[in-house]
Amino acid sequence: MSLSDLTIAAARDGLRRRDFTATELTASCLEAIGQAGALNAFVHLTAERARAMAAAADARLAAGDAPALCGIPLGIKDLFCTEGVESQAGSRILAGFRPPYESTVTRQLWQAGAVMLGKLNMDEFAMGSSNETSCYGPAVNPWRRQGEATPLTPGGSSGGSAAAVAAGLCLGATGTDTGGSIRQPAAFTGIVGLKPTYGRCSRWGIVAFASSLDQAGPMTRTVRDAAIMLAAMAGADPLDSTSAELPVPDFEAALSGDIRGSRIGIPREYRMDGMPAAIGRLWQEGAAMLRDAGAEIVDISLPHTKYALPAYYVIAPAEASSNLARYDGVRYGHRAPLAPGDGIVEMYEKTRAEGFGTEVRRRVMIGTYVLSAGFYDAYYNRARKVRALIRRDFEAAFAAGIDAILTPATPSAAFPLGAMATADPVQMYLNDVFTVTVNLAGLPGIAVPAGLDGEGLPLGLQLIGRPWEEAALLNHADVLERAAGFVSRPAKWW
């Protein structure tokens, strides 16, 4: 096993024991990235910066000043602004944009001693479930079906992050989750993906998709690694009025492994027609694992679940149409060539037509439509009311003593790239069916790899926690992870 295959916890301990240096660990990751071009996971490599940051981490380690992430090489989703490094959000319209500032989350990671390997592929402006809307081309899942060479999606929008962690190119990665964009790709690639409570991590310096739904989180190989990484990412930020003024717990210390007496809810509305048998079985097995660990399994109802996808695909495009209005070719990024006589209106129209991909244009038009004068009440306000009802469903469950909710993470295993390219876009949107409710309610959710399907592809389970109780959620996830014993890794074909 190479150093790049280590978990964050194992690498932290090895660095402190002087088994190897941060420079050696970073070199191992850079070598792995260089051999993995077929995955198209990294889109902007920052090798020289990584070596310099690793050397600085080695100096801190030698001085005894070593936070948990000191010397740990990470990949950063292209949605996070990183000072002086291309930050395109997977879009042509931001080609060449190098921010003069650092996002709060990445700044905190660097302060904790982490090493930046580069920027990771993603769906354009985080709009997609397969990483096929990226201007860089699709990222490729390192997993393949048994006996097949068909390239599979790593999920989206954080597909590059998921592929990089699963393939051993970095020890962890940042992701963002608006409707499942951390948890779905984590499930598709056999890794852990945590979406914290809305407001736990600052959104400052993260390119906005839907401001009331977006939340940054870690993507790692283990639950313990997610706890370590979240501690560095989280915290109140005066630059983000939606970040919570709450102390950040020691998430790793909360991993007691004891969930005796916990009550785990199983929502009957998530038992969907057409769900693959392997996912239904895994869900039952996951409930049995938690029961064996001392938890009580309780059937619950979340009655407004069936309205979640329609509400999400009104609210998210509405906020996107507003957030993306700033990309106009005036100040930064792409500007379309103009013909003689063209004015500012033509510049806007041509720049946005050239700069935005099909899915982004579709969502901007939907969002503009539902916010227009004649339809605001019929669509947007009604969706906001449904969102309140969905949040109330969860509040009622937690008020009745439920500590966490167990569901499938995705309605299928990873599917082939291009399989849904010509289909009705709603078919792609259905990939978010188990995850969007968590964003609409602002709750924490985590995807944990729990098994393989009949074709040898990973499947994940999702745990949903009480607001601000990521520590308890991580402890439940740690118990589930240990019980599932998922240790499979993709066979290296790239």
Side-chain angles (χ1 to χ4, degrees):
M1 185 177 76
S2 69
L3 291 177
S4 66
D5 290 316
L6 291 172
T7 64
I8 290 174
R12 172 194 62 187
D13 296 344
L15 286 166
R16 290 177 175 177
R17 288 194 305 265
R18 308 290 195 270
D19 292 346
F20 47 83
T21 66
T23 299
E24 291 168 337
L25 180 58
T26 297
S28 178
C29 290
L30 291 173
E31 181 182 2
I33 294 166
Q35 296 171 351
L39 298 180
N40 197 28
F42 276 87
V43 292
H44 299 296
L45 194 62
T46 56
E48 290 308 311
R49 182 175 295 202
R51 294 185 185 102
M53 294 173 83
D58 280 330
R60 291 182 71 176
L61 286 158
D65 171 28
L69 284 177
C70 195
I72 303 298
L74 303 176
I76 303 299
K77 186 178 180 178
D78 196 35
L79 207 65
F80 291 78
C81 287
T82 43
E83 186 175 359
V85 178
E86 290 93 334
S87 303
Q88 289 184 229
S91 180
R92 286 182 294 275
I93 207 161
L94 278 173
F97 176 54
R98 294 172 181 257
Y101 52 87
E102 192 79 32
S103 79
T104 297
V105 164
T106 52
R107 176 174 49 79
Q108 290 178 181
L109 289 171
W110 312 149
Q111 288 172 348
V115 173
M116 177 181 175
L117 294 168
K119 305 300 282 292
L120 292 161
N121 205 345
M122 57 172 285
D123 279 300
E124 184 180 10
F125 283 103
M127 298 182 195
S129 301
S130 65
N131 214 135
E132 292 175 280
T133 69
S134 170
C135 71
Y136 310 113
V140 179
N141 196 325
W143 290 81
R144 286 182 164 178
R145 290 172 175 160
Q146 288 174 347
E148 288 190 22
T150 306
L152 304 177
T153 175
S157 64
S158 307
S161 300
V165 173
L169 311 186
C170 54
L171 277 63
T174 61
T176 60
D177 194 311
T178 305
S181 286
I182 286 174
R183 291 160 288 151
Q184 183 248 27
F188 276 5
T189 56
I191 66 169
V192 173
L194 171 64
K195 176 236 174 258
T197 310
Y198 181 81
R200 175 63 85 181
C201 296
S202 171
R203 293 185 299 109
W204 194 86
I206 301 173
V207 178
F209 164 14
S211 299
S212 74
L213 300 165
D214 299 344
Q215 186 60 195
M219 302 180 74
T220 59
R221 294 196 191 111
T222 68
V223 172
R224 182 170 297 275
D225 285 2
I228 294 168
M229 200 167 157
L230 179 62
M233 296 173 66
D237 180 12
L239 297 173
D240 176 10
S241 62
T242 65
S243 71
E245 291 278 352
L246 291 172
V248 178
D250 185 338
F251 297 114
E252 187 181 9
L255 303 180
S256 67
D258 185 1
I259 60 166
R260 287 173 296 179
S262 288
R263 304 182 78 228
I264 307 297
I266 306 293
R268 62 179 66 103
E269 289 79 11
Y270 282 57
R271 296 187 180 98
M272 303 189 65
D273 292 338
M275 181 192 293
I279 290 177
R281 280 196 304 273
L282 190 72
W283 192 11
Q284 291 178 333
E285 290 166 4
M289 292 173 198
L290 293 171
R291 183 187 295 111
D292 290 345
E296 178 187 356
I297 305 301
V298 183
D299 281 332
I300 63 169
S301 177
L302 301 172
H304 295 94
T305 295
K306 62 184 176 182
Y307 305 116
L309 271 178
Y312 174 84
Y313 279 102
V314 170
I315 293 168
E319 296 185 9
S321 71
S322 176
N323 280 327
L324 270 59
R326 70 194 72 175
Y327 304 110
D328 51 18
V330 175
R331 288 155 291 185
Y332 49 81
H334 175 74
R335 178 185 293 187
L338 301 180
D342 282 349
I344 191 167
V345 172
E346 289 78 15
M347 185 193 73
Y348 287 165
E349 290 175 347
K350 291 181 178 180
T351 294
R352 290 169 69 81
E354 288 182 10
F356 289 145
T358 302
E359 182 61 30
V360 171
R361 293 200 300 269
R362 177 186 290 121
R363 297 199 196 192
V364 167
M365 287 189 286
I366 291 170
T368 303
Y369 176 81
V370 301
L371 290 176
S372 59
F375 302 100
Y376 186 89
D377 285 331
Y379 290 102
Y380 186 66
N381 264 346
R382 184 172 295 181
R384 289 173 61 206
K385 291 174 183 176
V386 170
R387 181 180 188 173
L389 293 173
I390 290 168
R391 185 184 296 117
R392 201 173 300 160
D393 287 348
F394 284 104
E395 289 171 351
F398 293 134
I402 296 299
D403 296 291
I405 296 169
L406 179 71
T407 78
T410 59
S412 71
F415 49 86
L417 287 167
M420 298 192 185
T422 58
D424 179 347
V426 173
Q427 293 302 310
M428 186 71 83
Y429 299 165
L430 289 172
N431 278 285
D432 302 329
V433 67
F434 296 132
T435 52
V436 295
T437 53
V438 178
N439 299 80
L440 290 168
L443 299 172
I446 188 168
V448 179
L452 300 173
D453 72 359
E455 296 177 299
L457 297 180
L459 296 173
L461 291 173
Q462 174 181 231
L463 281 164
I464 303 166
R466 295 170 175 266
W468 312 115
E469 294 189 15
E470 289 88 357
L473 177 65
L474 284 159
N475 188 40
H476 284 86
D478 183 56
V479 169
L480 181 62
E481 177 184 60
R482 289 170 185 267
F486 186 90
V487 294
S488 302
R489 296 291 300 276
K492 187 172 180 180
W493 54 264
W494 56 92

